[in-house]
Amino acid sequence: MDRREVLALGLAAAGAGLRPAPAKAAGTAETDAGNAPREDANLTIGVETLREAEKLHAVRFPDDALRRLAPLLSDKAKAIGPFHAESRPRDLQPASRFDPRMPGRTYPVQHDHVRLHAGRRPTLPRADIDVAFASVAEQAHWLATRQISSLRLTEIYLDRIPRIDPKLNAFITITADLARRQAKERDAELAAGRSRGPLHGIPYTLKDVIDTAGIPTTWGSSLFRQRVPSEDSAVAAKLREAGGVLLGKVATAELANGATWFGGMVRNPWNIDEPSGGSSAGSGSSVAAGLCAFSIGTDSLGSILNPADRCGVTGLRPTFGRVPVHGCMPLTPSLERIGPLCRRAEDAALVLAAINGPDPRSSASIDFGFAYDSAIDPRTIKVGYSPKWFSKVGFGEAGGEGQLLGLVPASPGHLNGLAAMKDIGVEMVEVEFPVLPYAMLLDSLYVESAAIFEDLTLSGKDAQLIAPWADSWRQARFLSAVDYYQIERFRRQVMEMMDRLFDRVDILFAPTYGSFELLMIANFTGHPGLSFRSGFAETATRDLGFAPIDPSGAKRRVTSNISMHGRLFEEGKMLALARLLEEKLDVWRERPTIG
């Protein structure tokens, strides 16, 4: 597949596919609906049909072989119709299970522990806007020291949401009554001397692919807008137990692809004329605009890192299997991940600590502790990078197709991030990826999502989708099983390559889209990724890409993010290094003028 097809997928914004808990869905079943065989179809296959089909898979067989195959394949075609007609639960997990851990590799045990930077905590600001944009750690301190109540903090956000969100289109459902009730309960618990932890009383939002009992979880699609789950997802339950206060469900692009849901496009608070990225579009926008303390997004191909990059917030895509995905929209069983979007790096550590943990209902769940210690010595860290990653940013590599892909020069903010990394004392190591057909990995995403949502394809309901899924799923029907399995074997080859690379370095460092190959590879190998603000750029309004729609248009001040990709389960190391860079760069304080 070529890079234009990568762009058509939604500019690397296909979101995490996450499994739903049992749910009531008015007019929409929680199973693949099943489709009756086409009675009008002529399923007799001849040699000429097979000769044309050979072109799809770049193979060539002898004529006598095709004559033998034709009746056999005719029988298979007739048998597959009844198989299509069978109903299967949409959250049915495949027999094969992806595990990012390499055979023979030992991963150091982590005991759950978070030690934040021991800096001075500011006193409660007088202005509500300063409270709204404060970090989770600061808000937790004010709550613990009774400088503010959870109800008061919640009301600050509930006042901002109806004033500001109409400009952004980030919220699908606002849960004001629930939020007030939860905030009062958290305040009562604190008054009684009980604290559930750092997130006690902190208001947050959830991407609307994550099930919440009795609250619509629409997957951003008009086909599922009446869907009301009967129980919470694993992550929603963990956040409730941690004391979080749910402000509402924020927009996912339809079925986690792009930046648009059935209510329209989610907008970037730094420039409301452009999208906020995808597919965790509402999460990035709501955090950047100070409409919540933090949000939870999902990721299969950049859907946390992309809106973090566009909105200038911190987005963490954890190691595959670390955070349980039970009770979230199914899409890509071997790729889906759940993680936080926050305004500060240490906030992401606090949130990950709360949602980390095993779940026996998720076949891919991994029981692994999470430790974060701010007292990292950067001189002990080896950081891999490539100068070309800091040359141009976009969806692809520089070259003849550069203009088509919207590659643009790295911004001053990106280059300042590189300079800051060199200044803090890490050992910089230049690295390069071997030349391999990495784009072939994308077919795994197409195939998995096509299987999960097969009922939409076979029923023709895919034509009702806003998101550009239909042809991707139809294309997947023409990939041979042999080629798919070879792609999965190639995926193992890439995993082994990354494992060897992480013997040389601790972290790979680039602008979030300085290397689309790096971002894509780390999605398919299961490695953790982090995107956070490093500065700013001046650019005319963009679409989901990086190049201006109209280069002569008025320039706007927008954010630039840098990213890290680390060893499996070493999110703590990346976050500690990000905190140092955050302090060194000192660009996180600036806010969008929208609120």
Side-chain angles (χ1 to χ4, degrees):
M1 93 189 38
D2 66 23
R3 295 182 183 123
R4 295 177 184 84
E5 293 174 295
V6 175
L7 211 58
L9 180 63
L11 295 175
L18 307 168
R19 302 178 175 91
K24 298 177 182 177
T28 304
E30 284 299 318
T31 61
D32 298 337
N35 296 274
R38 288 180 54 187
E39 295 180 359
D40 62 332
N42 179 3
L43 299 179
T44 301
I45 295 173
V47 170
E48 289 307 311
T49 300
L50 295 182
R51 189 63 74 197
E52 289 299 308
E54 286 178 326
K55 299 175 184 177
L56 290 170
H57 308 297
V59 295
R60 181 77 178 183
F61 300 129
D63 288 344
D64 61 334
L66 294 186
R67 286 192 291 271
R68 292 193 302 271
L69 289 173
L72 297 175
L73 292 174
S74 293
D75 289 343
K76 282 186 177 293
K78 293 170 185 174
I80 202 68
F83 183 72
H84 288 163
E86 295 179 3
S87 294
R88 282 171 288 278
R90 201 180 299 278
D91 63 349
L92 183 65
Q93 299 173 66
S96 57
R97 174 183 180 272
F98 178 71
D99 191 325
R101 295 170 292 187
M102 299 300 293
R105 174 72 71 179
T106 300
Y107 299 92
V109 173
Q110 296 179 37
H111 299 288
D112 293 336
H113 178 71
V114 173
R115 186 170 78 168
L116 301 179
H117 179 57
R120 182 182 66 84
R121 299 290 181 214
T123 58
L124 182 72
R126 292 185 177 182
D128 286 353
I129 190 172
D130 294 329
V131 176
F133 276 95
S135 69
V136 171
E138 289 168 341
Q139 292 178 354
H141 170 70
W142 299 330
L143 284 163
T145 55
R146 311 295 176 85
Q147 296 182 57
I148 195 172
S149 67
S150 177
L151 182 59
R152 175 67 187 127
L153 181 57
T154 298
E155 292 290 359
I156 288 174
Y157 287 121
L158 290 178
D159 175 68
R160 290 177 59 79
I161 291 168
R163 289 191 292 107
I164 296 171
D165 187 61
K167 304 173 187 176
L168 300 175
N169 204 29
F171 276 77
I172 293 181
T173 302
I174 301 170
T175 55
D177 291 342
L178 173 65
R180 291 186 177 103
R181 183 170 70 251
Q182 289 181 335
K184 290 175 182 177
E185 291 171 355
R186 300 296 85 82
D187 286 336
E189 288 171 345
L190 285 177
R194 181 193 176 193
S195 173
R196 296 171 180 252
L199 300 188
H200 188 113
I202 302 292
Y204 72 99
T205 60
L206 280 175
K207 182 177 179 179
D208 203 34
V209 294
I210 301 174
D211 277 357
T212 41
I215 302 169
T217 303
T218 71
W219 301 349
S221 175
S222 60
L223 296 177
F224 299 94
R225 66 186 302 173
Q226 303 302 321
R227 183 179 176 279
V228 181
S230 59
E231 60 183 70
D232 281 334
S233 62
V235 163
K238 282 178 174 290
L239 288 168
R240 185 182 64 250
E241 290 303 311
V245 173
L246 180 61
L247 294 168
K249 308 296 288 294
V250 287
T252 173
E254 185 177 41
L255 302 185
N257 189 348
T260 303
W261 56 290
F262 61 81
M265 185 179 77
V266 185
R267 300 179 180 276
N268 180 3
W270 295 90
N271 178 2
I272 61 173
D273 292 330
E274 65 181 30
S276 67
S279 68
S280 302
S283 294
S285 185
S286 63
V287 170
L291 304 184
C292 58
F294 70 90
S295 189
I296 301 295
T298 62
D299 195 312
S300 282
L301 188 61
S303 284
I304 288 174
L305 303 190
N306 183 274
D309 181 84
R310 180 57 65 101
C311 296
V313 298
T314 298
L316 174 64
R317 182 199 63 218
T319 301
F320 180 86
R322 179 186 271 288
V323 177
V325 299
H326 175 79
C328 302
M329 186 190 83
L331 186 70
T332 51
S334 78
L335 293 166
E336 53 207 28
R337 292 186 248 180
I338 303 176
L341 290 98
C342 310
R343 284 184 287 274
R344 302 289 301 277
E346 287 203 323
D347 292 351
L350 292 173
V351 178
L352 181 57
I355 63 177
N356 180 62
D359 188 321
R361 298 168 294 182
S362 300
S363 67
S365 180
I366 298 173
D367 187 358
F368 210 93
F370 170 66
Y372 169 79
D373 188 346
S374 64
I376 192 172
D377 182 353
R379 295 170 298 179
T380 66
I381 305 298
K382 293 182 179 180
V383 174
Y385 81 108
S386 170
K388 73 177 182 179
W389 295 349
F390 287 86
S391 172
K392 293 191 176 185
V393 298
F395 297 96
E397 297 293 336
E401 298 177 35
Q403 286 301 109
L404 292 173
L405 288 167
L407 287 167
V408 299
S411 76
H414 296 135
L415 300 179
N416 289 343
L418 177 60
M421 180 68 89
K422 292 177 177 178
D423 286 347
I424 63 174
V426 301
E427 181 181 345
M428 303 294 290
V429 180
E430 288 196 25
V431 300
E432 296 291 343
F433 290 134
V435 177
L436 293 170
Y438 299 110
M440 293 302 299
L441 294 170
L442 290 168
D443 275 315
S444 292
L445 186 152
Y446 294 146
V447 168
E448 291 183 22
S449 58
I452 297 296
F453 284 98
E454 179 185 62
D455 57 311
L456 299 187
T457 301
L458 298 184
S459 68
K461 290 181 179 178
D462 57 356
Q464 301 176 41
L465 297 176
I466 305 166
W469 276 123
D471 283 349
S472 296
W473 292 340
R474 294 165 187 160
Q475 173 183 294
R477 311 294 302 193
F478 293 99
L479 181 73
S480 77
V482 174
D483 286 339
Y484 171 71
Y485 201 73
Q486 293 288 36
I487 289 168
E488 286 297 292
R489 295 180 70 212
F490 172 59
R491 184 176 182 179
R492 173 64 66 170
Q493 180 184 349
V494 175
M495 291 168 69
E496 291 172 349
M497 175 200 79
M498 287 288 277
D499 189 59
R500 292 191 297 271
L501 182 55
F502 279 119
D503 276 337
R504 296 176 53 205
V505 299
D506 299 287
I507 285 167
L508 295 171
F509 179 62
T512 309
Y513 283 90
S515 169
F516 180 66
E517 284 185 343
L518 170 57
L519 183 141
M520 179 175 61
I521 288 167
N523 272 276
F524 284 91
T525 59
H527 287 88
L530 176 70
S531 176
F532 59 100
R533 190 189 305 177
S534 58
F536 299 91
E538 299 284 337
T539 181
T541 296
R542 305 159 291 179
D543 55 19
L544 275 174
F546 290 82
I549 299 170
D550 177 6
S552 64
K555 291 189 175 181
R556 312 284 279 276
R557 183 173 171 81
V558 296
T559 55
S560 297
N561 274 30
I562 48 178
S563 70
M564 299 181 194
H565 299 268
R567 294 194 189 106
L568 299 177
F569 308 108
E570 292 194 1
E571 293 89 345
K573 184 178 292 184
M574 293 195 305
L575 289 166
L577 197 57
R579 188 204 67 79
L580 289 175
L581 287 172
E582 195 176 74
E583 187 176 90
K584 175 82 174 174
L585 291 163
D586 196 27
V587 294
W588 61 269
R589 303 173 196 275
E590 187 168 336
R591 308 166 186 162
T593 58
I594 191 169

